[in-house]
Amino acid sequence: MASPSVLTPQAEDFPRWYQDVVAKAEMADNGPVRGTMVIRPYGYAIWERMQAEMDARIKETGAQNAYFPLFIPESYFHREAEHVEGFSPELAVVTFAGGEELAEPIVVRPTSETVIGEFMAKWIQSYRDLPLLLNQWSNVVRWELRPRLFLRSSEFLWQEGHTAHATYADAAGYALRIHLEVYNDFLEKVLAVPTYLGIKPPSERFAGAINTMTAEGMMRDGKALQMATSHELGQNFAKAFDVYYQSEEGQAALCWTTSWGASTRLVGGLIMAHGDDAGLVVPPNLAPIQVVVVAVRDEPEVNGACEKVAAALKASGVRVQVDRGRGSFGRRVTDWEIKGVPIRVEVGPRDLAQGLVSLVRRDDGAKVQVGVDAVASEVPGMLAAMQSDIFDGARKRLLDSTFDVANVAEAMEAATTGFARLPWSAVGEAGEAQLKTEAITVRCLQRKDGSIPVSDTEDGLDCIVAKSY
RNA sequence: CGGGGCGUAGCGCAGCUUGGUUAGCGCGCCUGCUUUGGGAGCAGGAGGUCCCGGGUUCGAAUCCCGGCGCCCCGACCA
C-alpha cells in the first residue's frame, strides 16, 4: 500500500523513523534555542484537537480554566522541600531584567503548584469555598538535558489542573476521577491508546506528592511513555502555602490538594503508538482532517465532483479537506499517508465515468469503490470502524508484548522487547537499582485485576517495568 | 557532566588524507513545455561569510592553535 523509502523503516532505526515522521508530516521543527520546538500548523492542529477533547472532559468534572503567571518568585520553590529538590536542576531562572540585576531571582514556571498554592490560600476562607477546582492551559519550561521533539522539550505546552479539597477522601477521589474520566477516557476513545493505569513507586513520584497516578502507554518499539499523571499532594503544598479553611464547626483546617497534567508529549505518543512505515496514523476521533478528497487530475469535472463530495461530508459533520489535482497524484497520496489522514477519497475521471469514487483507509490500506452520492453515508461508519480497529490493534500489541515474569532477572530480559509484569514484592529498592543498570524503570504498580491501588503499601501489588521515553 | 560524531546552498552530503583553475552532487526552489490512477520527465535558472577567530603559506574548505554551536549514546525528566 505504501511506497517505502520515503521514511526510514521502523525496524531499521526507530528513533530515526520518529524524526523523519515529525519532519515530513510537517509536525514540528527544532527551535533556535537548544531543546525548544516550533510546532508547525499540522502538529498544532492535532494538539488543538487534543486540547478541545481534554478541555471538555475537564470542565465536565467541574473544574474551571484560569491563568497564572509565567514568572514565579524563586522563594516559592523553597517552601516545599521535596519540590525544590526535585525541580532545581531543571529550572530556568531570570536574574537580570529591566537593565539591572533583580533583587530576587524569578523562576520561569516548570509547573505551577507553588504560585497557585499562594492564591488558593488567598481565595479559600471557608469550607463553602471548597472544593476549588482549577485548570490552566499554558507553557512551562524545564531545562532538559536531552531534548527530543514533543517527547522532551525545554519548553512544552500542557494543561495543569490544581484543586483544593476539605478532606483526603475528596481529594483522592477527585484525582482518581480526573485520571479515569479525563485522561483514560480521552486516551482510549480519542487517542486510541490503551494504557496500564497504576501508581508510581515512591522513587518515581512527583516531587512533593504523596501519591502519583500514571497511564503508561506502549510505543511500537516496546518502550513505555507516560501519557498523563494525576497527583495527590496530601497537605504538603497546603502547609507550605497556608491553604487553610474554616470548617463547618468553626475550626481552622488544612486543605488537601491535587495536581494533574498532560502535555504536548501526547503528540509524540500518538506518533509512536500508531505510526507505521508509511508515516503517521491519526485515529479518526482525533484527526483534524478526517477525510481528504484527492482529485486524481486537475480537471474541472473532477474538481467539481471533489467539491460536491466534500460538501456532503462536511454536512454530515466530517472534518474534510480537498486536494485539487495540482502536482503528481503519487506524490500527494504519499504526503497524505505520511500525515496519517484516516480516509482518502480518490476522485478520478475513470471511476467518475461510472459514477464511482474510491475510499482508502489509512490504517490497513483497504480500498473500496462507492457511488459518488454514497460517500457521505459510507464515511461515518468507516471512521468509527477505524477508530475501534486502531484501538484494538494497539491493545493487542500492548497485551502481546507484556510478559508475566517472576523476578528481576527475567524482567530485564523481557524489557528488551516490551513490558514485564511481576510482583512488586519481588523488586523492592534493590531490584529497582538493578533494573536501572539497564535503563529499565518501574512504570507503575497495579492490583492483580489491573485496578489502581490507593497506596504502594497495599499487599499483593504487581508492577509493570519497562524501558521508557 | 562522561563517551562518540558533525559544522560546506533551504535540507542531506562529497571534497580535506597529499593545500593550487570558476567549490561540487542529490533533494528542494524558480521559469517553460509535456504530464497527473502510487514520491513524473525534459530544458533552462536562482541560491555559498566552506561555524567563528588567529596562525603557517605565494596560495587554506583542506594544515596548526584557540573558541563556539549542534547531533547521538548515558545520568535527570511530562
Side-chain angles (χ1 to χ4, degrees):
Chain A
M1 92 195 193
S3 35
S5 84
V6 177
L7 305 168
T8 305
Q10 291 186 339
E12 185 182 315
D13 185 343
F14 196 83
R16 181 76 182 276
W17 167 86
Y18 178 83
Q19 291 183 333
D20 284 355
V21 172
V22 169
K24 297 208 165 143
E26 301 180 326
M27 306 284 280
D29 262 337
N30 279 307
V33 171
R34 179 188 158 74
T36 59
M37 87 179 143
V38 175
I39 305 176
R40 302 182 65 177
Y42 189 61
Y44 201 79
I46 289 173
W47 173 240
E48 285 183 310
R49 286 283 311 133
M50 291 180 176
Q51 285 187 298
E53 293 287 342
M54 285 194 286
D55 195 62
R57 286 169 174 76
I58 288 167
K59 285 171 178 157
E60 201 59 37
T61 69
Q64 293 182 293
N65 284 341
Y67 186 78
F68 292 82
L70 169 70
F71 296 126
I72 299 177
E74 188 181 48
S75 59
Y76 280 23
F77 285 84
H78 294 285
R79 294 200 210 166
E80 215 291 325
E82 285 185 20
H83 194 61
V84 69
E85 194 189 328
F87 278 101
S88 283
E90 52 193 72
L91 294 183
V93 183
V94 181
T95 60
F96 196 88
E100 54 187 54
E101 197 80 18
L102 295 173
E104 181 187 348
I106 291 167
V107 169
V108 181
R109 67 176 163 225
T111 178
S112 303
E113 278 76 7
T114 58
V115 65
I116 293 179
E118 176 81 3
F119 283 85
M120 283 178 162
K122 207 166 172 175
W123 296 341
I124 295 168
Q125 306 288 326
S126 149
Y127 70 93
R128 296 181 206 276
D129 298 324
L130 297 175
L132 179 60
L133 310 174
L134 301 172
N135 178 64
Q136 82 168 348
W137 289 94
S138 71
N139 58 338
V140 287
V141 168
R142 298 181 187 180
W143 218 254
E144 299 294 350
L145 302 175
R146 225 187 107 200
R148 297 187 67 178
L149 288 172
F150 290 116
L151 298 174
R152 195 186 306 102
S153 46
S154 298
E155 177 193 5
F156 57 88
L157 307 183
W158 73 347
Q159 60 69 217
E160 51 176 324
H162 298 269
T163 67
H165 306 257
T167 64
Y168 164 78
D170 196 49
Y174 189 78
L176 179 62
R177 184 177 174 196
I178 289 289
H179 210 61
L180 298 176
E181 295 178 20
V182 175
Y183 297 141
N184 195 46
D185 192 69
F186 166 77
L187 289 169
E188 292 195 346
K189 294 192 180 141
V190 181
L191 208 56
V193 173
T195 61
Y196 286 118
L197 302 178
I199 62 174
K200 287 292 184 185
S203 61
E204 302 280 332
R205 227 178 248 155
F206 176 77
I210 62 168
N211 193 24
T212 288
M213 284 176 272
T214 180
E216 298 287 326
M218 181 185 281
M219 305 297 102
R220 286 208 161 197
D221 61 350
K223 285 190 177 179
L225 184 72
Q226 180 175 310
M227 310 293 286
T229 50
S230 202
H231 315 290
E232 295 168 21
L233 303 175
Q235 295 178 305
N236 293 344
F237 284 89
K239 210 172 294 170
F241 288 88
D242 294 322
V243 188
Y244 286 91
Y245 69 97
Q246 198 166 14
S247 71
E248 221 168 332
E249 296 78 32
Q251 303 296 314
L254 260 186
C255 287
W256 296 79
T257 66
T258 77
S259 70
W260 26 281
S263 74
T264 38
R265 167 177 280 187
L266 287 172
V267 179
L270 162 74
I271 296 170
M272 293 195 295
H274 299 314
D276 61 23
D277 284 348
L280 199 55
V281 175
V282 186
N285 291 352
L286 178 69
I289 303 170
Q290 295 174 303
V291 175
V292 60
V293 182
V294 180
V296 171
R297 288 162 172 265
D298 187 17
E299 293 172 358
E301 205 173 316
V302 173
N303 283 325
C306 285
E307 294 301 338
K308 192 179 152 200
V309 167
L313 285 168
K314 196 173 174 188
S316 34
V318 175
R319 295 185 288 275
V320 60
Q321 184 165 319
V322 173
D323 177 3
R324 300 179 70 112
R326 301 288 299 177
S328 89
F329 175 73
R331 175 54 178 258
R332 289 179 288 127
V333 162
T334 306
D335 285 344
W336 290 117
E337 280 176 346
I338 293 173
K339 284 192 160 73
V341 172
I343 295 177
R344 182 171 72 246
V345 181
E346 297 180 358
V347 182
R350 219 161 56 204
D351 292 348
L352 217 48
Q354 307 168 57
L356 299 173
V357 296
S358 300
L359 304 185
V360 188
R361 280 175 59 150
R362 172 61 182 86
D363 59 337
D364 59 9
K367 191 172 197 167
V368 294
Q369 289 195 313
V370 303
V372 176
D373 297 324
V375 174
S377 56
E378 284 294 319
V379 161
M382 220 168 137
L383 290 171
M386 277 184 78
Q387 182 72 31
S388 67
D389 285 355
I390 291 172
F391 178 77
D392 290 346
R395 186 171 53 192
K396 182 166 166 30
R397 279 194 299 279
L398 178 67
L399 298 178
D400 287 352
S401 295
T402 301
F403 309 101
D404 283 293
V405 299
N407 56 51
V408 170
E410 289 175 15
M412 289 172 86
E413 173 62 28
T416 58
T417 56
F419 292 5
R421 177 169 39 217
L422 71 166
W424 174 225
S425 59
V427 181
E429 269 185 42
E432 282 192 85
Q434 197 184 338
L435 289 167
K436 212 160 183 184
T437 62
E438 295 289 330
I440 300 162
T441 50
V442 175
R443 305 313 304 163
C444 69
L445 312 182
Q446 301 189 307
R447 293 186 182 134
K448 294 283 180 205
D449 64 2
S451 66
I452 305 176
V454 171
S455 151
D456 60 282
T457 57
E458 275 185 34
D459 285 335
L461 295 182
D462 276 341
C463 63
I464 304 281
V465 312
K467 293 190 176 182
S468 72
Y469 279 96

